[in-house]
Amino acid sequence: MAANPNARRFPEGFLWGAATAAHQIEGSPMADGAGPSIWTRFAHTPGMTVNGDTGDVACDHYNRWKDDVALMASLGLKAYRFSTSWSRILPDGTGRVNQKGLDFYSRLVDELLDKGIEPLLTLYHWDLPAALDDRGGWLNRDVADWFAEYGSVLYRALDGRVKKWVTLNEPWVVTDGGYLHGALAPGHRSKYETPIATHNLMRAHGAAVKAYREIGKHEIGLVVNIEPKYPNTQSPEDLAATKRAHAYMNEQYLDAALLGKYPPELKNEIFGDAWPEWADEDYALIKQKLDFIGINYYTRSVTQATDSYPLKAGAVRQKLGTYTETGWEVFPQGLTDLLVWAKDRYGNLPTYITENGAAFFDPAVAEEGRVRDPLRMGYLKKHLTAIRDAIDQGCDIRGYMVWSLLDNLEWSLGFSKRFGIVHVNYGTQERTPKDSARWYSKAIETHGASIDDPLPY
Ligand code: BGC
């Protein structure tokens, strides 16, 4: 179908890409001298992941990287967001550099550039070296220096070839999942540890940006996940719960990085005496000039007051809502709302949508080599439209990375949920672009004009 001639296009230079993360796709976690990460350890602990799934093979990207870049090129991607595995590069977390690990990413970057695909490199997508966890991990203040050391190894090796760097992916998930509720590595459950992990993550972020300014010449930013909170009712309890949940999930990390403070609700309403007083010099380290922010968006929450610990707020399932396989409501308007909110609160920094996508039940690959995934196609169409609406409202949005390029290891949910625009057969490792991938290719080719076309079915 021809693209609608009246369709509005995306801004010049808008970057169209897809995202992945090291632990979720690479496999071979111990190859070529690498050390284990907390995820290697966590997934090998009985009962921690669905079906006992681990990242030992995953999408075997460690061996298939060249074909995967060819696949990206065949889809017309202009950018690829990936993460590096800290313990491949520094098996002990600090000190000795494992050249073979570094070479893997160097080759990957060269191949991407060769195919005209811009790399966006995330230093930390949740896979802390196990050796550092043994020294306290995110609970040890020294982690800021360890992280800056690790970043510096990569900056020295790749800056110039990589021009867009991200320090942390979703610090909120690292602390909420890893230190408060324990569903993610390292699997702790402590109200007292959580604020410390939060603060050290942010200090590490600041230290890594500072180190970048000494070595790198391009751009560095932070990626957060944001989920707008709407009150379930106008009762004072629900309104207060909504404000609390918003402070906890949406303001906590961006306020720290960009405004140099934490929202007062964290101490006053959520963590109480578990929230320590921090030194002024810590805030000075955390608040560094950022070149951009990355926002990961999946869903919203309609919030009500509950007795959940320690937030005392929870989401209300919407009777008329559409939900994905991970139980997340499809709510594109929330993306527009939060982008406008971030613009107003933080001053319209250049922004990338660094993740957006959905797990739906996908049928098997059909004989003609197709996977029909109309729900995912619809999801992408609606969210790209929501981004364009935000651009129309003045938000400086520079690019979009669909989550995910490939079906992959969905952390504790193992291989049970598929987010890819490309289907992966985990038995044969065969890749098959789903219909959503074809739809997305067309969107890239028409620079967004085709997103207004009716869906092909
Ligand atoms: C993470 C991804 C994850 C995705 C879907 C994001 O929170 O960055 O690693 O697979 O959400 O759950």
Side-chain angles (χ1 to χ4, degrees), residues 359-402:
F360 286 114
F361 171 77
D362 295 325
V365 179
E367 271 170 24
E368 68 275 28
R370 278 182 67 180
V371 176
R372 294 179 167 82
D373 61 340
L375 295 176
R376 185 172 295 99
M377 212 154 44
Y379 184 99
L380 300 184
K381 175 183 165 79
K382 287 181 209 141
H383 286 81
L384 279 163
T385 306
I387 291 165
R388 206 178 46 190
D389 289 347
I391 293 171
D392 287 349
Q393 292 180 53
C395 298
D396 187 3
I397 314 295
R398 304 280 178 99
Y400 175 82
M401 312 287 135
V402 62

Side-chain angles (χ1 to χ4, degrees), residues 164 173 213 227 309 422 455:
K164 291 188 174 53
V173 176
R213 298 301 177 207
E227 190 180 289
Y309 173 85
V422 173
L455 289 176

Side-chain angles (χ1 to χ4, degrees), residues 42 55 80 97 119 158 174 202 205 293 302 349 421:
F42 188 76
Y80 176 53
V97 172
L158 299 179
V174 175
M202 294 320 290
H205 157 79
I293 52 171
V302 176
L349 279 178
I421 57 170

Side-chain angles (χ1 to χ4, degrees), residues 226-264:
I226 286 194
E227 190 180 289
K229 311 288 180 187
Y230 303 90
N232 185 44
T233 71
Q234 294 300 313
S235 74
E237 293 77 16
D238 283 357
L239 289 173
T242 305
K243 191 158 169 284
R244 202 158 52 236
H246 176 65
Y248 177 55
M249 190 161 180
N250 302 330
E251 294 179 340
Q252 180 169 196
Y253 295 91
L254 286 179
D255 274 18
L258 299 170
L259 308 179
K261 58 182 189 184
Y262 294 105

Side-chain angles (χ1 to χ4, degrees), residues 160-175:
R161 286 186 284 160
V162 173
K163 296 186 172 146
K164 291 188 174 53
W165 296 84
V166 169
T167 55
L168 307 172
N169 178 70
E170 300 188 354
W172 181 83
V173 176
V174 175
T175 59

Side-chain angles (χ1 to χ4, degrees), residues 25-29 31-34 57 59-66 68 88 98 100-101 104-105 107 431:
I25 65 164
E26 286 178 358
S28 309
D32 297 330
V57 179
C59 303
D60 195 28
H61 173 77
Y62 191 71
N63 296 309
R64 294 167 195 265
W65 57 277
K66 206 166 183 174
D68 286 339
R88 262 194 213 295
N98 178 32
K100 285 187 174 170
F104 168 70
Y105 296 109
R107 284 192 300 268
R431 276 73 161 136

